[in-house]
Amino acid sequence: MPKNKENHIWLKATILFVIIFLSFYLHVTNGMFDMTIPDVVKTLFGMGDNPKFSLVIFEFRLPRIVIAILVGVGLAIAGCVLQGITKNDLADPGILGINAGAGAAVSFFMLVFQFNASRSDGSEWLKIMSMPLFGLVGGVLAAGIIFAFAYKHGRLDVERLLLTGIAINSGFGALALYLTLKMSEKDFEIAALWQAGTIYNANWAFIVAMLPWLIILGIYIYRKKYLLDYFQLEESTIVSLGINLEREKIKMLLASVGIVSACVSVSGSIGFIGLMAPHIARQIVGIRHRFVVPFSALIGAALLLLSDFIAKTIFAPSELAVGVVVSIIGIPYFLYLLVKAR
Amino acid sequence: MQTAFRIEELTAGYENNTIFENLNASIEYGKITTIIGPNGCGKSTLLKTIGRILKKEHGHVYLQDQDMQKLSTKDIAKRLAILAQSPSAPPQLKVGELISYGRYPHRKNVNRLTPEDHEMIDWAMEVTQTAEFADRELSQLSGGQRQRVWLAMALAQKTDILLLDEPTTYLDMAHQIEVLKIVQKINKEHGCTIVMVLHEINQAARFSDTILAMKAGEVLANGKPKEIMTAAYLEKIFNIQAKIVDDDGTPVCLSYDTI
């Protein structure tokens, strides 16, 4: 008997929570200046008497940590859905061009409204709140184009989906680059950094803007998680069971496009989380999505939080874009999967 | 005669390749009907089209006198189940879990099985003799066991009609008969209408009430095994010269040669 991956679920979940907590601890205590644990705890519970500490924690470190966790969760869940629908372990929101579409739309937004998220202090509420919407439009547009090409004879052809995704990805990437080139030199620098995937300028407004998307669509996907189990069968069996395959695929895809767009609009394009997290989750808990989805979310959060900690500290005082750190971890993992798949 | 399916002017195929055009046929309710015919004659295509796995181009299929076009896919799933030719599932999937998938069309809360669901799953496992490996993973089963598990999943769907696309493919002789005997039991003891595609004409003759013979996208004959299993028909259908003998009322093709 192979060992049952579904054993010790709670232990595994606890270990992940501990990893997230440790990353949180590292993240919150390290930075421009280090803080001791008592300082952090005191400040967190409002008992601190050092205004500099509460500024750093509440205005800089905490929003950044929360965003890293949320974006990690979002990308991981979206990755789960995409891998489930395409039956391809190498599917990732980034590879599918959704990131790039949302990215181009947000670049457009930055250019037209002369608003730069990374420079914002969070006072321009309306603009911040409408940014995920713009991202969503771009993401849906990219997804729409991909579907239009991947849809053939009334069904979604997965191979075409992946191939058009790659084409759309570079197309929108080029568009975003063109748009950023139109910006002033200073804006360009920041926009380019944002596109590489960065969350160092996080603030609470971003969190408020993306949270509803993540909660609503996340719950939707979690409630539909059984569909991802059924999607592991081949299509004729799924249809035989009375599942409206094409419609359910599109609904799930749209939900994940929504989540990815919200993530991209606050953090730029961060690849590979959506690829790695579900894959690691399946290694740990098996193939049933009632476990895979929540574990992916936890792993995504842990991965991004750790990566962001590395991005923040490795070349301190200068920062690396977290997207770059994730790619440095992600590319070898991707290659490993490719080699293993052969 | 009560019909399970009435097929009118049906045209279907793949992409730009029409397999049959304006096909008419009817399939009796409560019986075992086997579709036979040479490779590429459209027998699997017909089965898939009446099971709405393949979209028809035009024409009508009536499921017990109701136009299937007007039924939702979930309602259809409560009335007919299809076992695909070589179904696939993740090798790590548990047998019991896969069989429980068959309950999907009847479930209101998909995340929890009701006592009725359990009852049906147990029944399906009993009929197919798969209960003993309910906790095993699919990868640990032999081909014959796996096919019985898939059959159990289709049974758990608790439909009046079961469509089977070459249910004996890749099985050795003993396991082929084992599967067909289960199919026969499902029909005789539980009144389930069976429509299946088989390659082996002797098995078709032994296990069917009706044989529907196809060739090049057309229905050549539709009748009792005794009427279809004749040298004349087999020559028309398969281009073979066959020697037919009678085995206790069942026609058997003893040997054959190309013409």
Side-chain angles (χ1 to χ4, degrees):
Chain A
M1 285 291 276
K3 73 176 193 301
N4 192 341
K5 287 182 176 165
E6 289 181 10
N7 290 342
H8 313 301
I9 281 289
W10 287 107
L11 179 68
K12 289 167 181 172
T14 310
I15 291 172
L16 277 173
F17 274 115
V18 169
I19 292 175
I20 292 174
F21 183 79
L22 281 178
S23 316
F24 172 87
Y25 162 75
L26 286 170
H27 215 309
V28 82
T29 51
N30 286 280
M32 294 293 268
F33 56 88
D34 294 346
M35 291 185 197
T36 60
I37 309 172
D39 285 341
V40 172
V41 172
K42 265 192 218 155
T43 315
L44 279 178
F45 290 99
M47 297 180 298
D49 41 13
N50 189 334
K52 212 165 85 181
F53 284 180
S54 44
L55 177 76
V56 164
I57 288 191
F58 286 110
E59 294 306 320
F60 296 112
R61 291 185 187 173
L62 217 46
R64 178 171 180 166
I65 289 169
V66 172
I67 282 202
I69 290 174
L70 293 180
V71 171
V73 166
L75 292 174
I77 293 177
C80 260
V81 173
L82 289 173
Q83 291 182 7
I85 287 175
T86 59
K87 289 189 191 171
N88 189 323
D89 289 356
L90 303 179
D92 172 89
I95 294 168
L96 278 183
I98 299 167
N99 277 2
V106 174
S107 301
F108 177 76
F109 180 85
M110 287 179 176
L111 180 68
V112 171
F113 294 96
Q114 297 289 312
F115 166 72
N116 211 313
S118 315
R119 218 172 43 194
S120 162
D121 55 2
S123 61
E124 298 156 289
W125 274 89
L126 190 66
K127 285 180 177 173
I128 291 176
M129 298 303 280
S130 51
M131 229 173 40
L133 258 179
F134 257 77
L136 183 74
V137 171
V140 169
L141 189 68
I145 297 173
I146 298 167
F147 282 147
F149 282 104
Y151 227 72
K152 216 183 155 198
H153 299 286
R155 53 185 295 271
L156 203 61
D157 184 326
V158 167
E159 254 170 53
R160 292 171 73 101
L161 182 79
L162 293 173
L163 287 176
T164 19
I166 293 165
I168 295 297
N169 199 1
S170 27
F172 273 103
L175 181 67
L177 184 65
Y178 174 76
L179 289 172
T180 46
L181 285 175
K182 295 251 165 205
M183 295 175 182
S184 68
E185 202 175 316
K186 182 101 181 78
D187 280 355
F188 169 76
E189 210 171 284
I190 295 168
L193 191 61
W194 169 80
Q195 274 179 358
T198 168
I199 45 180
Y200 77 86
N201 233 320
N203 61 52
W204 293 105
F206 290 159
I207 295 170
V208 175
M210 77 171 290
L211 203 56
W213 295 89
L214 193 63
I215 291 177
I216 293 169
L217 296 174
I219 289 175
Y220 175 79
I221 289 172
Y222 187 70
R223 283 175 54 93
K224 290 266 187 180
K225 59 191 181 294
Y226 63 88
L227 273 178
L228 296 172
D229 288 337
Y230 286 84
F231 283 158
Q232 294 170 334
L233 308 175
E234 95 295 339
E235 295 200 348
S236 48
T237 307
I238 304 174
V239 175
S240 168
L241 289 172
I243 294 169
N244 200 329
L245 182 62
E246 301 304 328
R247 195 187 300 168
E248 297 295 348
K249 265 189 198 167
I250 288 177
K251 281 199 250 173
M252 291 295 267
L253 272 170
L254 277 180
S256 50
V257 169
I259 287 185
V260 171
S261 303
C263 291
V264 169
S265 64
V266 301
S267 70
S269 179
I270 296 174
F272 294 110
I273 295 282
L275 174 91
M276 289 189 286
H279 193 267
I280 298 171
R282 281 194 297 269
Q283 299 290 320
I284 300 177
V285 295
I287 54 169
R288 288 204 289 178
H289 284 83
R290 82 192 62 165
F291 300 126
V292 175
V293 173
F295 270 78
S296 294
L298 289 179
I299 292 164
L303 273 175
L304 197 55
L305 195 54
L306 261 179
S307 301
D308 192 50
F309 168 70
I310 294 171
K312 179 169 94 166
T313 49
I314 193 161
F315 292 128
S318 38
E319 293 227 5
L320 217 54
V322 65
V324 175
V325 176
V326 175
S327 296
I328 290 171
I329 306 169
I331 290 170
Y333 196 82
F334 186 69
L335 292 175
Y336 155 75
L337 285 182
L338 270 182
V339 170
K340 221 184 70 171
R342 263 199 295 170
Chain B
M1 162 180 121
Q2 201 189 351
T3 60
F5 293 99
R6 193 152 46 83
I7 299 153
E8 280 181 7
E9 300 295 314
L10 189 66
T11 300
Y14 306 89
E15 314 233 323
N16 305 317
N17 182 15
T18 302
I19 303 289
F20 52 77
E21 266 178 298
N22 303 326
L23 187 131
N24 292 289
S26 70
I27 292 168
E28 204 173 341
Y29 186 82
K31 296 282 162 64
I32 299 181
T33 301
T34 302
I35 311 175
I36 61 165
N39 290 335
C41 70
K43 50 190 190 309
S44 272
T45 311
L46 179 62
L47 195 81
K48 283 183 201 151
T49 315
I50 62 177
R52 56 91 172 76
I53 285 179
L54 200 66
K55 269 194 184 156
K56 62 183 166 56
E57 276 159 37
H58 47 84
H60 294 276
V61 179
Y62 296 91
L63 173 63
Q64 292 168 292
D65 294 322
Q66 271 179 299
D67 193 344
M68 280 179 72
Q69 211 170 314
K70 295 188 180 113
L71 298 171
S72 77
T73 184
K74 200 166 181 179
D75 284 335
I76 294 173
K78 290 179 188 164
R79 297 166 61 177
L80 72 87
I82 312 147
L83 179 51
Q85 194 174 121
S86 27
S88 69
Q92 311 95 305
L93 191 66
K94 295 261 174 56
V95 168
E97 182 90 4
L98 177 67
I99 296 173
S100 77
Y101 285 0
R103 296 304 297 160
Y104 177 81
H106 302 279
R107 291 166 81 171
K108 290 194 182 69
N109 176 356
V110 194
N111 297 318
R112 194 178 302 127
L113 290 166
T114 64
E116 197 202 336
D117 289 332
H118 281 295
E119 205 177 295
M120 286 311 302
I121 293 165
D122 289 344
W123 170 77
M125 290 199 286
E126 189 195 309
V127 172
T128 54
Q129 295 143 28
T130 47
E132 53 178 311
F133 27 82
D135 289 326
R136 278 195 228 163
E137 293 182 1
L138 282 177
S139 61
Q140 297 169 286
L141 303 185
S142 72
Q145 292 170 330
R146 206 171 299 156
Q147 189 64 343
R148 268 153 50 205
V149 168
W150 282 104
L151 204 54
M153 181 187 119
L155 281 186
Q157 224 171 306
K158 193 175 180 275
T159 58
D160 284 348
I161 300 170
L162 192 56
L163 308 185
L164 309 167
D165 195 356
E166 295 191 27
T168 54
T169 328
Y170 307 125
L171 300 183
D172 62 39
M173 292 170 84
H175 287 114
Q176 291 186 11
I177 295 298
E178 184 182 66
V179 164
L180 289 172
K181 275 178 150 171
I182 293 171
V183 169
Q184 195 172 39
K185 187 164 80 177
I186 298 165
N187 172 261
K188 295 281 173 305
E189 290 174 20
H190 306 284
C192 190
T193 305
I194 311 279
V195 186
M196 60 182 167
V197 170
L198 287 181
H199 258 298
E200 232 290 301
I201 48 174
N202 284 334
Q203 289 173 358
R206 177 172 160 191
F207 289 98
S208 330
D209 298 305
T210 307
I211 290 182
L212 194 140
M214 288 182 74
K215 188 180 186 178
E218 285 181 35
V219 176
L220 275 190
N222 187 354
K224 292 202 166 67
K226 262 188 186 169
E227 299 158 12
I228 311 292
M229 279 282 278
T230 61
Y233 262 128
L234 291 185
E235 186 180 330
K236 260 202 330 217
I237 302 164
F238 293 104
N239 274 332
I240 54 169
Q241 220 152 25
K243 197 187 221 175
I244 310 288
V245 296
D246 184 281
D247 175 29
D248 262 353
T250 305
V252 175
C253 174
L254 195 61
S255 69
Y256 61 91
D257 205 346
T258 51
I259 293 171

